């Protein structure tokens, strides 16, 4: 782990494989976990993987713990010398969580309160955290399991880089879909007309011929330039993994099962937890 609390690429791989395996199982059952799949570096460090949707935060991916004696330490601190801060309400007491040591255990997906079934139509719902939204969500077109796959790319980048791929905010720090889509064009290239024809909202940003209306300039960025500072073996392989996911047409993204066997992700399989 790096001093700025980001992971190098080798440390990212084991939990990423586990999450993809969980998503593959859900998708085979025709269950969409929706845009609530969001890991954060802070949650990985605390031993809990958290999910954030707009201003709602819920724990939905849990890690085991290597040394259960830490709970005895918590118990002693709570009863003897350092009780944690709390807020006492009429019907309940809310406690501040204690920091759990970093764990080498793999995550398990939980919290299925917002799942969707694939046999239902999903169009225009406000899902996914703002800067993590897939293009079909921004343009309010039909969506499916592929939003889960998009989230995998967003989160993977955040963990190794320390911030999101897309800024999507203007000078006033307000969310701006024009900027968000312009950044996507810079990284993924222009969207195919087939994708734009699926959404009436697309006509705000592109004309009838699929040409960008120029509501904001296309930034001079790429995955390669943004990846500066990522540590670990085979950064190019990691970027290739991301490019498989970063597609305008959702159905062109690989399934979770296919991503589990990505060459970059397969490299070094079995090394996690081994002493060096």
């Amino acid at each position: 782990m790096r001093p700025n609390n980001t992971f190098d690429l080798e440390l990212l791989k084991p939990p990423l494989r586990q999450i993809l395996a969980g998503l593959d199982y859900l998708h085979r059952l025709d269950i969409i976990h929706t845009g609530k799949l969001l890991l954060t570096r802070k949650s990985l460090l605390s031993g809990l993987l958290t999910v954030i949707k707009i201003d709602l935060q819920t724990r939905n991916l849990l890690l085991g713990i290597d040394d259960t004696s830490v709970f005895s330490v918590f118990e002693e601190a709570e009863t003897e010398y350092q009780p944690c801060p709390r807020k006492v309400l009429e019907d309940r007491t809310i406690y501040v969580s204690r920091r759990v040591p970093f764990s080498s255990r793999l995550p398990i997906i939980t919290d299925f309160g917002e799942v969707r079934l694939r046999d239902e139509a999903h169009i225009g719902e406000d899902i996914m955290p703002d800067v993590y939204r897939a293009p079909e969500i921004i343009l309010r077109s039909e969506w499916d399991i592929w939003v889960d796959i998009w989230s995998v790319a967003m989160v993977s980048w955040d963990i190794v880089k320390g911030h999101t791929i897309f800024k999507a905010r203007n000078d006033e720090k307000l969310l701006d879909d024009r900027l968000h889509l312009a950044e996507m064009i810079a990284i993924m290239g222009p969207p195919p007309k087939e994708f734009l024809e699926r959404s009436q909202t697309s006509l705000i940003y592109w004309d009838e011929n699929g040409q960008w209306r120029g509501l904001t300039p296309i930034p001079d960025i790429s995955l390669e330039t943004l990846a500066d500072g990522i540590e670990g073996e085979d950064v190019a392989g990691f970027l290739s993994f991301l490019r498989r996911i970063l597609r305008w047409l959702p159905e062109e993204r690989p399934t979770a099962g296919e991503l589990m066997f990505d060459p970059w992700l397969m490299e070094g399989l079995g090394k996690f937890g081994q002493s060096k």
Side-chain angles (χ1 to χ4, degrees):
M1 189 178 303
R2 301 167 63 187
N4 61 354
N5 291 336
T6 57
F7 284 19
D8 66 29
L9 294 178
E10 296 309 305
L11 191 57
L12 168 67
K13 287 182 179 181
L16 182 55
R17 294 186 190 109
Q18 181 81 351
I19 292 163
L20 287 170
L23 284 178
D24 180 58
Y25 176 75
L26 292 177
H27 293 171
R28 288 176 184 271
L29 296 176
D30 290 332
I31 295 173
I32 311 170
H33 199 272
T34 75
K36 284 201 165 189
L37 179 64
L38 175 57
L39 315 181
T40 66
R41 291 171 292 112
K42 289 183 179 179
S43 61
L44 281 167
L45 291 170
S46 68
L48 289 172
L49 305 186
T50 62
V51 56
I52 301 172
K53 181 180 183 295
I54 311 304
D55 59 351
L56 177 65
Q57 180 169 322
T58 310
R59 295 181 178 92
N60 77 331
L61 290 163
L62 303 182
L63 290 173
I65 190 166
D66 296 316
D67 182 6
T68 57
S69 66
V70 67
F71 296 120
S72 297
V73 175
F74 289 170
E75 181 180 5
E76 181 180 355
E78 188 67 31
T79 58
E80 300 293 336
Y81 61 89
Q82 192 180 26
C84 66
R86 66 203 65 191
K87 184 175 183 179
V88 180
L89 304 176
E90 291 184 2
D91 58 341
R92 66 191 184 279
T93 301
I94 303 173
Y95 297 86
V96 173
S97 297
R98 293 185 180 272
R99 188 182 183 91
V100 179
F102 177 76
S103 171
S104 62
R105 301 293 181 89
L106 296 175
I108 297 174
I109 299 175
T110 64
D111 186 7
F112 298 97
E114 293 295 328
V115 300
R116 300 291 189 272
L117 301 179
R118 295 192 72 187
D119 60 0
E120 303 169 351
H122 306 291
I123 302 176
E125 291 185 67
D126 185 17
I127 66 166
M128 308 184 77
D130 46 20
V131 295
Y132 288 81
R133 289 174 299 162
E136 62 267 31
I137 301 304
I138 297 175
L139 296 182
R140 308 192 72 78
S141 58
E142 188 171 1
W143 54 272
D144 202 338
I145 60 171
W146 311 112
V147 296
D148 285 344
I149 302 302
W150 181 271
S151 292
V152 169
M154 299 297 100
V155 167
S156 299
W157 181 276
D158 188 25
I159 292 173
V160 299
K161 187 62 178 173
H163 56 74
T164 58
I165 296 180
F166 305 112
K167 295 180 180 179
R169 297 190 181 278
N170 57 30
D171 293 338
E172 287 73 40
K173 308 300 182 183
L174 299 175
L175 184 67
D176 192 325
D177 288 346
R178 299 170 302 173
L179 297 175
H180 202 165
L181 292 168
E183 290 178 283
M184 288 182 175
I185 294 172
I187 290 176
M188 301 191 294
K193 194 173 181 181
E194 176 187 355
F195 172 75
L196 298 178
E197 289 174 346
R198 299 177 183 180
S199 167
Q200 287 297 313
T201 305
S202 68
L203 291 174
I204 298 174
Y205 310 100
W206 289 269
D207 64 22
E208 293 80 358
N209 298 316
Q211 297 299 310
W212 179 247
R213 292 187 183 275
L215 300 179
T216 191
I218 306 300
D220 184 18
I221 58 174
S222 67
L223 272 185
E224 286 72 20
T225 57
L226 295 177
D228 183 51
I230 292 179
E231 291 189 3
E233 299 178 8
D234 195 9
V235 174
F238 174 60
L239 298 186
S240 177
F241 171 83
L242 293 181
R243 288 192 185 281
R244 296 182 65 191
I245 299 173
L246 299 178
R247 303 294 183 92
W248 291 99
L249 289 169
E251 63 271 20
E252 289 187 353
R253 299 168 201 157
T255 65
E258 290 169 341
L259 285 172
M260 289 171 60
F261 294 96
D262 181 85
W264 168 77
L265 197 55
M266 290 289 290
E267 181 67 27
L269 186 63
K271 292 182 179 179
F272 188 61
Q274 296 181 0
S275 59
K276 295 184 178 180

